[in-house]
Amino acid sequence: MNYNPYAAPQAPPPQQPPGQGGMPQPWEVGEVYGQAWEIFKKQWVVVVLSWFLVAILIGVPIQIVRVVFLPIPFGRVMGVDEMIALYRGMLPLYGVAFIFQAFFDVGLIRIQCAAARGETPNFATLFSGGARFLPLLVVKILLAMLIGVFSGCLVVPGILVFVALWPVDYFIVDANQDIATAFKSAWAVTRGQWMPMFLFFLLGFLLYVGGFAACCIGWIATYPLYRVAKAIVFLRITGRGAAMPAVPAQFAPYPQQPPPGGYPPPGGYGPPGGGGGYPPPGGGGGYPPPGGGAPPGGGWGPPQ
């Protein structure tokens, strides 16, 4: 094992286990989406199918109910009043969809965070939302109300509220925090990063629109890709990513445990090459015994 005997003692680098939190890590918009794409290519089956199944389970029943109870004649151009009446009639359906979306979002966040950590996500995790469903539902309602109130004044404040508080869902699910703590944590970790986060969400919106432009089916891939990138950003700004890899022994700055027999003395001391210890002073004659005569038996001894 290599070591530097003159180096000052150092503490070993902290090993953060997954999900325990640590120091925030730097991130850039393009780099995050690039990493999300690499993860997406490996884990696309679970990442895409989990989201697609949610879209079917929620969207198809709502559309069936709409067609049965709120039919729109084919080819008819609806007026403004008719459109308003239609959306009013669909509000209960949107409310039901909102509740089911909150339940499945627990599993989706866990799947996407697992993929972002480099783990292999499990499709069954999609249905694991029971324990965190109600806190997440309350958080979604509160966040929607805040965005709605600030957007009612001006659009920009509503956008800023979303940019500042978007990680609250992840703190509820991934960090298992209570509602008040989750909002405080979300505000703390996004402070000072609003502009890059705005650019991140703007690019995600363009991906979503581009997916719809691709024959209305590309969003099946682009939206899960955006969600994986979103999970990566959350793990970066909170330090809740995967554990740091262990440093190989040959690159360790110092041995973690003393070698057998203890540490050798610092360089420059020790017996000269060939063994035998230090030579006696005086060119090999040593200390002359007092009054002449031979030295005492047993070799060279201290002066008498």
Side-chain angles (χ1 to χ4, degrees):
M1 180 179 293
N2 297 328
Y3 64 91
N4 183 356
Y6 298 105
Q10 302 177 10
Q15 303 294 319
Q16 293 291 347
Q20 291 300 315
M23 294 297 296
Q25 301 172 1
W27 67 282
E28 295 180 358
V29 175
E31 178 264 334
V32 164
Y33 275 105
Q35 183 184 0
W37 172 245
E38 294 300 322
I39 294 173
F40 183 83
K41 290 190 295 184
K42 299 176 181 178
Q43 307 291 351
W44 70 270
V45 175
V46 176
V47 171
V48 171
L49 291 184
S50 59
W51 165 249
F52 187 64
L53 179 60
V54 171
I56 292 176
L57 292 177
I58 296 178
V60 172
I62 288 178
Q63 292 304 317
I64 292 175
V65 173
R66 186 195 65 78
V67 170
V68 172
F69 293 97
L70 299 169
I72 301 175
F74 181 76
R76 177 184 172 185
V77 178
M78 300 181 62
V80 176
D81 294 339
E82 290 179 307
M83 290 291 295
I84 295 175
L86 174 64
Y87 282 110
R88 285 178 178 174
M90 293 185 64
L91 280 178
L93 297 179
Y94 289 144
V96 173
F98 190 85
I99 294 173
F100 277 96
Q101 184 67 55
F103 173 81
F104 286 115
D105 258 352
V106 177
L108 288 174
I109 289 175
R110 287 171 175 165
I111 288 174
Q112 292 149 7
C113 284
R117 287 188 172 104
E119 304 169 359
T120 301
N122 190 340
F123 189 83
T125 307
L126 180 63
F127 304 96
S128 65
R132 305 305 295 166
F133 161 59
L134 288 179
L136 184 60
L137 177 62
V138 173
V139 159
K140 284 182 172 294
I141 293 174
L142 293 176
L143 185 58
M145 292 174 60
L146 287 172
I147 294 174
V149 168
F150 282 92
S151 297
C153 304
L154 291 172
V155 176
V156 173
I159 295 175
L160 292 179
V161 169
F162 171 75
V163 170
L165 297 177
W166 70 267
V168 66
D169 292 5
Y170 293 80
F171 279 110
I172 289 289
V173 175
D174 191 69
N176 201 34
Q177 292 184 354
D178 60 78
I179 296 172
T181 304
F183 273 105
K184 293 178 182 178
S185 299
W187 176 267
V189 298
T190 58
R191 187 168 48 192
Q193 302 191 65
W194 289 2
M195 181 53 68
M197 287 185 179
F198 172 77
L199 297 177
F200 169 82
F201 288 116
L202 178 61
L203 181 55
F205 174 75
L206 294 177
L207 282 174
Y208 188 71
V209 173
F212 264 106
C215 301
C216 297
I217 60 174
W219 66 274
I220 298 175
T222 58
Y223 187 71
L225 173 64
Y226 155 74
R227 290 284 297 249
V228 172
K230 192 176 177 183
I232 293 174
V233 174
F234 170 74
L235 298 180
R236 293 280 189 89
I237 64 178
T238 59
R240 297 179 59 82
M244 297 293 292
V247 180
Q250 62 268 30
F251 301 112
Y254 65 96
Q256 302 296 319
Q257 294 182 350
Y263 292 106
Y269 297 95
Y278 296 104
Y287 296 102
W300 301 98
Q304 303 294 321

